[in-house]
Amino acid sequence: MGYIIKIAFKNLFRSKLRSFVSIIAIAFGVMIVVFARGIVVGMVDSVFADHIQYNSGHIKIIDQEYQLKERLLSLNYPVDGFNGEDLDVMIEALEGVNNVELVIPRLKFAALVSTEEELVTMSGWGVNPDKELIFTNIGDILLEGRMVQPGRQEVVMGTALLEKINAKVGGKVTILFNTAYGSLKGVTFEVVGRLDTGLKLLNEMVFYLPLDQAQRFLEMDEEVTELLLVLPDRKMVSQVLPEVKELLALEGGGRYLALGYRETSDLIPLMDLSEVIFNFIYIFLVLLSCIVVINTMIMIIRERTREIGMMAALGLEKKEILQLFLIEGGFMGLIGSLLGALGGYLITAYLGREGFDYGQALSGMDTGILLNTMIYPAVSLENTIFAFVLGTIIVVLACVFPARRAIKLEPTEAMREA
Amino acid sequence: MKRFLAFLAIFILLFTSSTFVHALTAEEIINKRDDNEYLETARAEMEMIIRSGRREMSKTMISLTDKQNSLTEFTNPRDRGTKFLKRGDELWMFFPDAEDIVKISGHMLNQGMMGSDFSYQDLMESDKLIDLYEFEIISEEEIDGRPCYVLEGLAREGKEVSYYKRKIWIDKERFVGLKEELYARSGRLLKELNVLQVEEIEGRWYPLRSVMEDKLRKDTSTEVILKAIEFNPLIPEGTFTLENLR
């Protein structure tokens, strides 16, 4: 076996250009796989993260009726505790469930700002700022100023929204909204922070204010529109969800609904499907570059027909001849994949740091869709190794086809041929 | 010949008298109604009861009106201090918690005023109906035992109105509106107003209690009750200014 490997390796250098071109072709294929996979995984990760952080938590608790009215941000179906008890008691009970790390209250409502030219529709989020800072990446995207503080009449909003309403950090803005009792109210807030993110929802639509202020102005003391449960890992949802549902059924009298993060997203099923589709696309990408290798192998076998006949006549078994060519192809696959994986890793790592913005392409997209317009391809060793192994295996498999032609030759015929 | 003249005289008499009895034109009917209901200047205290599903809310307000302007201040605890100022075709609001006064414009004007079935736009209409719509008598009906003219008005060309078509039931004797249906251009019924009680105040018939239903919303209605009204009061100068709103 050892000598076969040695011969195969030496054969690689008999036609340097041809081997080089094959290797480069493989390298390109594998590089694209690493990169494409980086983008897809990066996108999927960010869709999950954004959805969990800014929409659903790992588990979301809402009033049953609210589910249908969520888009309208109705205030008529709040989460306000179990059986008339305080909301805090409910939060404590939920925090008592195994593996629930944090319970995040949010009070979402529709609001307006009247500028000289137009009315700007917005969505107000009354939040507990400390909990938001722990759970979401809001601290990272807070470009200027600071987060809101409880007890103060202040707001934080996205760069695009500030621009639309002609306001600045440090300035004041008068916001209009309907209270839970249908009164129109206008309240002046100080803008204390500015967010900058590729997430359209946060950039153009949402403003944060302290939960206590939102509750006071909306006349919704001890009421929120949703509670988000945070677990140590999103994979634990299926384990915790039944327990939460049981608690809600027992204490809440069936009024509340607990939803896992998968149930509340339109994008996640799409992402799951796209991952499957893309895995096939990777295989085709590598196969495409294998055409060059197959072509090279066919040429090699043509050239070496006499040699193959000679080897067979000298007693080399068919299996060993097959091995010889597979190993030679394998070498090309190995070197090409290694180069490709390395190159792919470097490009992905670079773009993973810089990120690239496809916001222009999505400028008309609905702000309600939680899709970040900044993509940071995910750099991972796992991904790189995946592409390397995929490249090597597919190239070897692709070589089976031409190599089989070699062993079909009869030694006598083969020797005569040249 | 004499007989012929007599016949002619009788004929003319009959003809003209019948036109006298019957022939109020649509325009005349609307004008007679406006004599009752159109306010030159007034000060009114009102209560608005908004019903939405099982929820019921009451808001009280005091309103000053002259032809083109009005100032409304809410007096119930939840909304106390909130003021609307209508100046011509502009609407401004003052809120106790806001530092600025706010101009209401665009699509917001079509929303329910303070959660009611009246839109801000409904409050804004101060032109006489006859200037905005072309009316026609389409039939006569009875409402709660009172004979009414039924008039249909289509928006005059070039006039901007919230409702393309309105149908109004006007009491034949008292010339006060008892019912009104408001339609979109598509023919869809948008709102329906029913007057529950009318009373003679200072010699004019005026609706005291009426209910508006926004047909695009489910299970809602808004009842307006006139608590007190004073026609032609003295309104201090500068009442309808932005400065006064602050």
Side-chain angles (χ1 to χ4, degrees), chain A residues 126-409:
Chain A
V127 296
N128 174 325
D130 294 335
K131 286 186 173 178
E132 296 290 330
L133 284 168
I134 297 172
F135 176 52
T136 68
N137 68 348
I138 191 121
D140 303 331
I141 60 175
L142 191 65
L143 209 70
E144 194 184 339
R146 59 171 173 81
M147 188 58 180
V148 294
Q149 279 173 13
R152 295 193 183 192
Q153 217 163 303
E154 51 195 30
V155 292
V156 162
M157 57 179 93
T159 307
L161 186 53
L162 277 174
E163 221 166 89
K164 259 201 259 179
I165 62 172
N166 306 320
K168 277 197 201 83
V169 174
K172 293 202 164 166
V173 56
T174 298
I175 297 174
L176 304 180
F177 48 86
N178 282 308
T179 70
Y181 290 92
S183 297
L184 183 70
K185 244 187 193 172
V187 178
T188 304
F189 292 92
E190 189 184 345
V191 183
V192 295
R194 175 165 72 90
L195 303 175
D196 198 57
T197 161
L199 213 54
K200 273 190 142 185
L201 182 74
L202 287 192
N203 206 19
E204 295 177 9
M205 201 58 193
V206 168
F207 66 96
Y208 280 92
L209 72 166
L211 182 60
D212 54 359
Q213 299 293 310
Q215 286 172 334
R216 180 163 73 94
F217 290 126
L218 295 169
E219 301 185 78
M220 294 180 72
D221 267 347
E222 293 288 332
E223 291 177 21
V224 294
T225 50
E226 60 196 51
L227 287 175
L228 309 183
L229 307 188
V230 183
L231 314 179
D233 193 312
R234 69 176 192 231
K235 292 192 181 81
M236 295 173 82
V237 167
S238 53
Q239 183 189 330
V240 180
L241 194 56
E243 226 175 305
V244 174
K245 280 187 173 162
E246 205 175 303
L247 178 76
L248 291 179
L250 201 67
E251 302 279 341
R255 229 188 89 198
Y256 297 123
L257 214 58
L259 301 166
Y261 70 93
R262 279 183 176 275
E263 297 169 70
T264 47
S265 174
D266 305 329
L267 278 179
I268 286 178
L270 205 67
M271 290 295 143
D272 287 343
L273 185 68
S274 74
E275 267 194 305
V276 175
I277 292 172
F278 270 96
N279 278 335
F280 281 105
I281 292 177
Y282 303 141
I283 294 174
F284 281 110
L285 271 175
V286 179
L287 274 178
L288 210 62
S289 38
C290 282
I291 289 172
V292 179
V293 182
I294 293 170
N295 190 32
T296 308
M297 293 301 283
I298 291 172
M299 284 166 75
I300 287 173
I301 287 159
R302 266 275 156 86
E303 257 171 37
R304 300 187 197 155
T305 316
R306 273 191 72 158
E307 199 180 309
I308 293 166
M310 185 82 80
M311 283 192 283
L314 286 172
L316 216 59
E317 284 180 36
K318 288 192 168 184
K319 200 181 86 189
E320 287 165 317
I321 295 174
L322 185 74
Q323 276 174 358
L324 185 70
F325 284 101
L326 287 189
I327 290 169
E328 187 173 343
F331 270 126
M332 286 193 264
L334 203 70
I335 298 168
S337 298
L338 192 70
L339 287 176
L342 209 71
Y345 181 85
L346 290 176
I347 295 181
T348 316
Y350 172 73
L351 280 169
R353 213 179 46 237
E354 301 285 313
F356 63 96
D357 191 356
Y358 65 109
Q360 289 291 319
L362 293 180
S363 53
M365 194 178 70
D366 187 70
T367 43
I369 298 173
L370 276 176
L371 190 63
N372 204 320
T373 56
M374 257 330 244
I375 289 194
Y376 294 93
V379 200
S380 72
L381 207 62
E382 178 231 311
N383 175 19
T384 316
I385 292 170
F386 165 86
F388 171 69
V389 173
L390 185 81
T392 314
I393 291 174
I394 289 182
V395 171
V396 173
L397 288 180
C399 288
V400 170
F401 162 68
R404 274 168 60 101
R405 285 184 54 163
I407 59 173
K408 275 187 188 146
L409 295 168

Side-chain angles (χ1 to χ4, degrees), chain A residues 75-76 112 114-115 117-119 121 153 172 174 176 178 180-188 216-217 219, chain B residues 55 57 59 78-79 82 84 93 95-100 102-108 111 114-115 120:
Chain A
L75 298 175
N76 293 336
L112 287 170
S114 172
T115 68
E117 303 91 41
E118 55 168 350
L119 275 171
T121 0
Q153 217 163 303
K172 293 202 164 166
T174 298
L176 304 180
N178 282 308
Y181 290 92
S183 297
L184 183 70
K185 244 187 193 172
V187 178
T188 304
R216 180 163 73 94
F217 290 126
E219 301 185 78
Chain B
R55 216 169 209 177
M57 290 171 289
K59 295 176 197 293
R78 279 217 160 85
D79 301 300
T82 300
F84 287 166
M93 288 192 79
F95 301 98
D97 287 313
E99 290 173 15
D100 267 335
V102 181
K103 189 179 172 189
I104 306 291
S105 58
H107 63 82
M108 196 170 165
Q111 291 185 2
M114 297 299 251
Y120 294 96

Side-chain angles (χ1 to χ4, degrees), chain A residues 53-123:
Chain A
Q53 290 179 18
Y54 296 110
N55 182 354
S56 72
H58 290 116
I59 296 171
K60 183 179 194 171
I61 295 173
I62 52 173
D63 186 284
Q64 269 186 352
E65 306 272 324
Y66 187 65
Q67 202 175 21
L68 301 171
K69 310 276 167 66
E70 197 166 359
R71 278 193 80 86
L72 302 171
L73 298 173
S74 167
L75 298 175
N76 293 336
Y77 312 99
V79 176
D80 55 1
F82 295 136
N83 304 318
E85 285 179 318
D86 272 2
L87 182 65
D88 291 337
V89 180
M90 181 176 176
I91 292 180
E92 251 168 61
L94 287 165
E95 274 169 346
V97 176
N98 263 340
N99 286 318
V100 172
E101 287 189 331
L102 211 58
V103 177
I104 294 187
R106 281 182 190 161
L107 175 49
K108 296 184 177 175
F109 60 99
L112 287 170
V113 164
S114 172
T115 68
E116 300 222 338
E117 303 91 41
E118 55 168 350
L119 275 171
V120 179
T121 0
M122 315 193 291
S123 160

Side-chain angles (χ1 to χ4, degrees), chain B residues 152-206:
Chain B
E152 187 179 272
L154 292 180
R156 287 183 193 272
E157 230 164 275
K159 295 282 183 190
E160 270 193 40
V161 291
S162 315
Y163 311 102
Y164 177 70
K165 185 176 109 180
R166 5 178 120 217
K167 244 168 120 175
I168 310 178
W169 283 254
I170 295 175
D171 192 311
K172 272 181 153 178
E173 291 170 37
R174 301 180 298 191
F175 293 99
V176 61
L178 294 182
K179 184 180 171 180
E180 195 160 343
E181 286 177 350
L182 307 169
Y183 294 88
R185 189 175 274 271
S186 64
R188 183 168 184 180
L189 178 62
L190 297 175
K191 286 184 182 174
E192 186 181 319
L193 180 84
N194 280 294
V195 176
L196 304 180
Q197 192 184 345
V198 293
E199 204 153 291
E200 197 170 13
I201 305 165
E202 292 178 30
R204 46 206 281 189
W205 287 96
Y206 203 79

Side-chain angles (χ1 to χ4, degrees), chain B:
Chain B
M1 190 68 194
K2 250 185 188 172
R3 280 182 60 165
F4 175 73
L5 278 176
F7 181 76
L8 190 70
I10 290 167
F11 180 80
I12 289 170
L13 201 72
L14 272 176
F15 183 76
T16 48
S17 68
S18 72
T19 46
F20 260 116
V21 172
H22 177 71
L24 273 179
T25 62
E27 197 164 328
E28 281 164 340
I29 295 170
I30 290 286
N31 283 336
K32 273 178 174 282
R33 177 200 165 183
D34 278 347
D35 289 342
N36 275 326
E37 295 188 39
Y38 187 78
L39 300 174
E40 296 276 325
T41 57
R43 180 184 184 280
E45 280 175 42
M46 286 177 281
E47 184 184 1
M48 200 162 75
I49 301 169
I50 302 165
R51 297 190 183 92
S52 172
R54 276 160 295 163
R55 216 169 209 177
E56 191 175 302
M57 290 171 289
S58 158
K59 295 176 197 293
T60 54
M61 65 202 92
I62 295 174
S63 196
L64 287 166
T65 321
D66 73 6
K67 272 185 206 153
Q68 290 299 313
N69 311 311
S70 74
L71 178 68
T72 304
E73 183 170 355
F74 285 83
T75 50
N76 58 306
R78 279 217 160 85
D79 301 300
R80 183 166 295 148
T82 300
K83 291 188 228 172
F84 287 166
L85 172 66
K86 170 187 170 318
R87 272 167 58 87
D89 51 8
E90 287 183 352
L91 183 64
W92 297 84
M93 288 192 79
F94 170 83
F95 301 98
D97 287 313
E99 290 173 15
D100 267 335
I101 52 173
V102 181
K103 189 179 172 189
I104 306 291
S105 58
H107 63 82
M108 196 170 165
L109 286 171
N110 296 323
Q111 291 185 2
M113 187 263 285
M114 297 299 251
S116 74
D117 294 69
F118 291 92
S119 70
Y120 294 96
Q121 196 73 53
D122 292 341
L123 304 189
M124 299 285 290
E125 272 175 7
S126 57
D127 288 326
K128 285 196 171 180
L129 281 181
I130 202 72
D131 296 332
L132 299 175
Y133 293 88
E134 192 125 27
F135 281 100
E136 197 185 328
I137 305 171
I138 53 169
S139 67
E140 293 176 17
E141 277 174 29
E142 271 192 18
I143 286 185
D144 290 334
R146 303 231 32 116
C148 292
Y149 295 109
V150 186
L151 271 62
E152 187 179 272
L154 292 180
R156 287 183 193 272
E157 230 164 275
K159 295 282 183 190
E160 270 193 40
V161 291
S162 315
Y163 311 102
Y164 177 70
K165 185 176 109 180
R166 5 178 120 217
K167 244 168 120 175
I168 310 178
W169 283 254
I170 295 175
D171 192 311
K172 272 181 153 178
E173 291 170 37
R174 301 180 298 191
F175 293 99
V176 61
L178 294 182
K179 184 180 171 180
E180 195 160 343
E181 286 177 350
L182 307 169
Y183 294 88
R185 189 175 274 271
S186 64
R188 183 168 184 180
L189 178 62
L190 297 175
K191 286 184 182 174
E192 186 181 319
L193 180 84
N194 280 294
V195 176
L196 304 180
Q197 192 184 345
V198 293
E199 204 153 291
E200 197 170 13
I201 305 165
E202 292 178 30
R204 46 206 281 189
W205 287 96
Y206 203 79
L208 222 59
R209 254 173 7 107
S210 37
V211 174
M212 180 72 125
E213 277 175 56
D214 186 337
K215 293 294 183 188
L216 300 183
R217 304 200 298 183
K218 253 194 196 163
D219 277 348
T220 69
S221 69
T222 301
E223 183 173 342
V224 180
I225 303 167
L226 191 70
K227 296 272 181 195
I229 188 160
E230 188 186 336
F231 297 114
N232 307 315
L234 201 65
I235 296 175
E237 215 166 294
T239 300
F240 303 116
T241 57
L242 295 181
E243 286 68 34
N244 185 43
L245 190 62
R246 267 179 243 264

